[in-house]
Amino acid sequence: MSIDKKAIIKMDSIYKRFYIGTPNELEILHGLSFDVPDGEFVSIVGASGSGKSTLMNIIGALDKATEGNYHLGGTNISLLNDRELSEIRNKKIGFVFQTFNLIARTTALKNVELPMLYAGMGSKERIKRAKELLELVEMSDRAMHMPNELSGGQKQRIAIARSMANNPSIILADEPTGALDSKTGHLVMDIFHKLHKEQGKTIVLITHNQKLAAETDRIITLSDGNIVSDEKMSGNAVYTLNETVKEEKPETESHDESVILTDKTSGKDGQ
Amino acid sequence: MNFKENILLALAGLKANKMRAFLTMLGIIIGISSVIMITTMGTIVEKGLAGVVTDLGVNNLVEIFIRQKEDSVRTTIEESDMFSDEIIEQLMTRFSGELQYIAIQQSVGGGTMRFNREDINMTVYGYNSDFIHIFSTDLLRGRYINEKDIQGQKSVCVIPDDLALKLYGSPENAIGEILSMNVAGGVKEFAVVGVYKYKQSAFGGVFSRNYDIHIPITTARKMINASPYYSWVDFITYEDVDVIKFSEEFGEYVNERYYKDNNSYEVMCYTMAEQLTSISQYVGIIQGVLSIIAGISLLVGGIGVMNIMLVSVTERTREIGVRKALGAPNSAIRIQFIVESVIICAIGGLIGIIAGVLLGNLGGLLFDTSAVPSVGAIVIAVSFSMAIGIFFGYYPANRAAKLDPIEALRYE
Ligand SMILES: Nc1ncnc2c1ncn2[C@@H]1O[C@H](COP(=O)(O)OP(=O)(O)O)[C@@H](O)[C@H]1O
Ligand SMILES: [Mg+2]
């Protein structure tokens, strides 16, 4: 939105190649360059296999670019060692996955505590913050539940709370609604919008859903490892929470009940 | 990620896979229980042997007994084949520098009495006055059988303290009382002149209590019309004598002097010292075998732990990826898996200690004694099994730590 804001993500001719035994090399990303200003909600769209997740892994410091420079909040990620990368992932980035990836046999609360545990936060402070985050995603009553006792939508809300644990500057969500039905998906999107609006988080969202992408500030379209379009959304397309909810399910009043009902009947309950 | 969290996490993982955890621990359990059995058994045998040693003052005991020659003509023993008081006298004189005491015995047999509607069983032995030195127990009250008793064939006896307590209320009350019992085909009366402290013998606990009553050897002989010839005699040497060496010399001398012309019998010497050495050797062999079993099971157990940890790392590849995405440094992942491996081994070690103590004491029943391993042994056993956990857990844990986060996350 605001061009004057400092770019939190700075991508400069990023290449990613996989070596599947020499001389075969597979170039997945062909020199991508773009910036994401602090506080922007950007979506990345594109066909399956176009390199979205590969790009996301680089942004999230899980993977390194084969060539090119990536600066995150002024730090050149390409120069960091393993230990420094894990610290970046821990403090600066919050991941949300398509398949939720909650740790099995571990309560929702403990899952949310996990990044804080790795950050070395004391147990009292950790539990307090984890409870606040569960409240934020309206999952306080499920704090002591195990992942296998939760619906898909509930799991994803826990996962979002977890991604927020160390108050990261960026939230990276790789198809977070991909395993959810559209109603539940919208509820999850509500949370991202809330985090964006109320807490000014920078959010990078990968999605297949053009409608969901259209609610964000900007859409980057990937095709075969190239950026084929990068457009900022005009003000009128910008998402407003109430409108969307009304549009999708005008008859329902309570979000929570519909989530549970939908999930149970649709059986979309992967982990 | 602190230790407490890691431990709780590992315990939760083990709880979810109880059977697998137990099977994994089995090698460690067998190994550690063998180690504990070795130490428990060692303690028990030591205790048992110590009992034997003090029971008979046996370190300086040389027993000489007659046996058939290989080319013996007769199979029946005659009085002329046995030791007489005269021969014993001569030997004591000849070896006065080495031999300190002599113990001779005449068993009379069982005796019974009724007391408070209870049958009391006793065994009556005739002893010489030296016997008190061999039977190195405390005389609590009164005196032992003396030369006068033996010369006069007196009807006196020395009884154990627990019998004194039972019949007369206390050892001091027993002195001067008359003990009347049914023995050698009639009722006999003995004046109690002494009370000795009863010591449970090393192997005695299995049988019900039978009181040993000591009377003068001459009295015993008269009661059953026994002649003064012995098929075996116990000698006690002075403390500084090398009994094993002396017993050889002694046996040779006796054979040369008294049995050269005997066409059927000769003597043999036997020392408790030699016997104890061979018991210790035997125990040593058992301990050695157990040590090998322990070593092999700990090695196999360790490899089993390593194997299961590798399986666990593979199963949890995705979890490892997620943890890394959430910011877990490699060291945290490594520690998580090492802690899990150490906990498996420590629990296995604890179960092994309990099993080892139980099994070791089962063997201890035979010796009627029990032993608990020292705190030191427990600490060493647990630390050792934890060390196994670290050693065999390190490789899988390191493999987990070094997983590429992307590949781990993509793992199906
Ligand atoms: N580790 C890898 N080795 C080889 N090829 C890979 C690897 N990871 C991803 N790819 C390939 O890169 C391409 C882009 O994958 P990805 O970024 O996951 O696509 P998207 O998320 O857009 O569906 C795919 O063709 C995929 O097969
Ligand atoms: Mg993808």
Side-chain angles (χ1 to χ4, degrees), chain B residues 271-284:
Chain B
T271 62
M272 208 55 170
E274 212 165 359
Q275 215 57 23
L276 287 180
T277 316
S278 60
I279 290 177
S280 314
Q281 277 168 356
Y282 185 63
V283 169

PDB file of all heavy atoms in Angstrom, chain B residues 271-284:
ATOM      1  N   THR B 271      41.745 -79.278  53.929  1.00  0.00           N
ATOM      2  CA  THR B 271      41.745 -78.002  54.654  1.00  0.00           C
ATOM      3  C   THR B 271      40.583 -77.158  54.174  1.00  0.00           C
ATOM      4  O   THR B 271      40.237 -77.159  52.998  1.00  0.00           O
ATOM      5  CB  THR B 271      43.031 -77.197  54.411  1.00  0.00           C
ATOM      6  OG1 THR B 271      43.098 -76.887  53.031  1.00  0.00           O
ATOM      7  CG2 THR B 271      44.268 -77.938  54.839  1.00  0.00           C
ATOM      8  N   MET B 272      40.000 -76.465  55.113  1.00  0.00           N
ATOM      9  CA  MET B 272      38.883 -75.592  54.769  1.00  0.00           C
ATOM     10  C   MET B 272      39.389 -74.441  53.911  1.00  0.00           C
ATOM     11  O   MET B 272      38.687 -73.942  53.043  1.00  0.00           O
ATOM     12  CB  MET B 272      38.243 -75.073  56.057  1.00  0.00           C
ATOM     13  CG  MET B 272      36.782 -74.750  55.905  1.00  0.00           C
ATOM     14  SD  MET B 272      35.817 -76.136  55.264  1.00  0.00           S
ATOM     15  CE  MET B 272      34.198 -75.493  55.510  1.00  0.00           C
ATOM     16  N   ALA B 273      40.624 -74.051  54.168  1.00  0.00           N
ATOM     17  CA  ALA B 273      41.202 -72.924  53.421  1.00  0.00           C
ATOM     18  C   ALA B 273      41.187 -73.216  51.926  1.00  0.00           C
ATOM     19  O   ALA B 273      40.781 -72.388  51.114  1.00  0.00           O
ATOM     20  CB  ALA B 273      42.625 -72.668  53.892  1.00  0.00           C
ATOM     21  N   GLU B 274      41.587 -74.459  51.586  1.00  0.00           N
ATOM     22  CA  GLU B 274      41.602 -74.867  50.191  1.00  0.00           C
ATOM     23  C   GLU B 274      40.176 -74.870  49.631  1.00  0.00           C
ATOM     24  O   GLU B 274      39.925 -74.436  48.516  1.00  0.00           O
ATOM     25  CB  GLU B 274      42.191 -76.277  50.109  1.00  0.00           C
ATOM     26  CG  GLU B 274      42.957 -76.552  48.859  1.00  0.00           C
ATOM     27  CD  GLU B 274      43.802 -77.831  49.021  1.00  0.00           C
ATOM     28  OE1 GLU B 274      43.778 -78.442  50.111  1.00  0.00           O
ATOM     29  OE2 GLU B 274      44.457 -78.183  48.050  1.00  0.00           O
ATOM     30  N   GLN B 275      39.279 -75.378  50.494  1.00  0.00           N
ATOM     31  CA  GLN B 275      37.883 -75.470  50.094  1.00  0.00           C
ATOM     32  C   GLN B 275      37.292 -74.092  49.815  1.00  0.00           C
ATOM     33  O   GLN B 275      36.604 -73.886  48.828  1.00  0.00           O
ATOM     34  CB  GLN B 275      37.117 -76.152  51.237  1.00  0.00           C
ATOM     35  CG  GLN B 275      36.003 -77.036  50.784  1.00  0.00           C
ATOM     36  CD  GLN B 275      36.491 -78.127  49.843  1.00  0.00           C
ATOM     37  OE1 GLN B 275      37.668 -78.484  49.846  1.00  0.00           O
ATOM     38  NE2 GLN B 275      35.600 -78.621  49.021  1.00  0.00           N
ATOM     39  N   LEU B 276      37.604 -73.161  50.703  1.00  0.00           N
ATOM     40  CA  LEU B 276      37.091 -71.796  50.537  1.00  0.00           C
ATOM     41  C   LEU B 276      37.622 -71.186  49.257  1.00  0.00           C
ATOM     42  O   LEU B 276      36.909 -70.497  48.539  1.00  0.00           O
ATOM     43  CB  LEU B 276      37.484 -70.923  51.732  1.00  0.00           C
ATOM     44  CG  LEU B 276      36.736 -71.211  53.027  1.00  0.00           C
ATOM     45  CD1 LEU B 276      37.223 -70.264  54.118  1.00  0.00           C
ATOM     46  CD2 LEU B 276      35.237 -71.069  52.836  1.00  0.00           C
ATOM     47  N   THR B 277      38.882 -71.471  48.965  1.00  0.00           N
ATOM     48  CA  THR B 277      39.475 -70.942  47.741  1.00  0.00           C
ATOM     49  C   THR B 277      38.716 -71.460  46.539  1.00  0.00           C
ATOM     50  O   THR B 277      38.389 -70.706  45.624  1.00  0.00           O
ATOM     51  CB  THR B 277      40.953 -71.375  47.638  1.00  0.00           C
ATOM     52  OG1 THR B 277      41.554 -71.190  48.903  1.00  0.00           O
ATOM     53  CG2 THR B 277      41.689 -70.578  46.586  1.00  0.00           C
ATOM     54  N   SER B 278      38.372 -72.756  46.585  1.00  0.00           N
ATOM     55  CA  SER B 278      37.680 -73.277  45.402  1.00  0.00           C
ATOM     56  C   SER B 278      36.248 -72.770  45.326  1.00  0.00           C
ATOM     57  O   SER B 278      35.734 -72.556  44.234  1.00  0.00           O
ATOM     58  CB  SER B 278      37.752 -74.799  45.344  1.00  0.00           C
ATOM     59  OG  SER B 278      37.152 -75.340  46.473  1.00  0.00           O
ATOM     60  N   ILE B 279      35.607 -72.534  46.485  1.00  0.00           N
ATOM     61  CA  ILE B 279      34.255 -71.937  46.449  1.00  0.00           C
ATOM     62  C   ILE B 279      34.336 -70.542  45.829  1.00  0.00           C
ATOM     63  O   ILE B 279      33.562 -70.188  44.949  1.00  0.00           O
ATOM     64  CB  ILE B 279      33.623 -71.859  47.861  1.00  0.00           C
ATOM     65  CG1 ILE B 279      33.269 -73.263  48.358  1.00  0.00           C
ATOM     66  CG2 ILE B 279      32.360 -70.994  47.833  1.00  0.00           C
ATOM     67  CD1 ILE B 279      32.717 -73.289  49.775  1.00  0.00           C
ATOM     68  N   SER B 280      35.338 -69.777  46.255  1.00  0.00           N
ATOM     69  CA  SER B 280      35.490 -68.425  45.713  1.00  0.00           C
ATOM     70  C   SER B 280      35.755 -68.482  44.222  1.00  0.00           C
ATOM     71  O   SER B 280      35.233 -67.666  43.458  1.00  0.00           O
ATOM     72  CB  SER B 280      36.643 -67.689  46.382  1.00  0.00           C
ATOM     73  OG  SER B 280      36.579 -67.866  47.749  1.00  0.00           O
ATOM     74  N   GLN B 281      36.554 -69.472  43.817  1.00  0.00           N
ATOM     75  CA  GLN B 281      36.825 -69.609  42.384  1.00  0.00           C
ATOM     76  C   GLN B 281      35.545 -69.918  41.625  1.00  0.00           C
ATOM     77  O   GLN B 281      35.277 -69.354  40.567  1.00  0.00           O
ATOM     78  CB  GLN B 281      37.846 -70.726  42.142  1.00  0.00           C
ATOM     79  CG  GLN B 281      39.284 -70.261  42.323  1.00  0.00           C
ATOM     80  CD  GLN B 281      40.258 -71.412  42.365  1.00  0.00           C
ATOM     81  OE1 GLN B 281      39.867 -72.575  42.336  1.00  0.00           O
ATOM     82  NE2 GLN B 281      41.534 -71.093  42.443  1.00  0.00           N
ATOM     83  N   TYR B 282      34.741 -70.805  42.224  1.00  0.00           N
ATOM     84  CA  TYR B 282      33.479 -71.201  41.601  1.00  0.00           C
ATOM     85  C   TYR B 282      32.549 -69.999  41.456  1.00  0.00           C
ATOM     86  O   TYR B 282      31.980 -69.747  40.400  1.00  0.00           O
ATOM     87  CB  TYR B 282      32.849 -72.289  42.471  1.00  0.00           C
ATOM     88  CG  TYR B 282      31.589 -72.890  41.912  1.00  0.00           C
ATOM     89  CD1 TYR B 282      31.612 -73.594  40.708  1.00  0.00           C
ATOM     90  CD2 TYR B 282      30.383 -72.760  42.598  1.00  0.00           C
ATOM     91  CE1 TYR B 282      30.453 -74.150  40.202  1.00  0.00           C
ATOM     92  CE2 TYR B 282      29.219 -73.313  42.096  1.00  0.00           C
ATOM     93  CZ  TYR B 282      29.253 -74.004  40.899  1.00  0.00           C
ATOM     94  OH  TYR B 282      28.107 -74.545  40.402  1.00  0.00           O
ATOM     95  N   VAL B 283      32.448 -69.251  42.558  1.00  0.00           N
ATOM     96  CA  VAL B 283      31.620 -68.037  42.520  1.00  0.00           C
ATOM     97  C   VAL B 283      32.174 -67.065  41.481  1.00  0.00           C
ATOM     98  O   VAL B 283      31.435 -66.433  40.728  1.00  0.00           O
ATOM     99  CB  VAL B 283      31.563 -67.378  43.917  1.00  0.00           C
ATOM    100  CG1 VAL B 283      30.947 -65.991  43.839  1.00  0.00           C
ATOM    101  CG2 VAL B 283      30.756 -68.251  44.866  1.00  0.00           C
ATOM    102  N   GLY B 284      33.496 -67.000  41.430  1.00  0.00           N
ATOM    103  CA  GLY B 284      34.146 -66.129  40.451  1.00  0.00           C
ATOM    104  C   GLY B 284      33.778 -66.516  39.026  1.00  0.00           C
ATOM    105  O   GLY B 284      33.521 -65.646  38.195  1.00  0.00           O
TER     106      GLY B 284
END
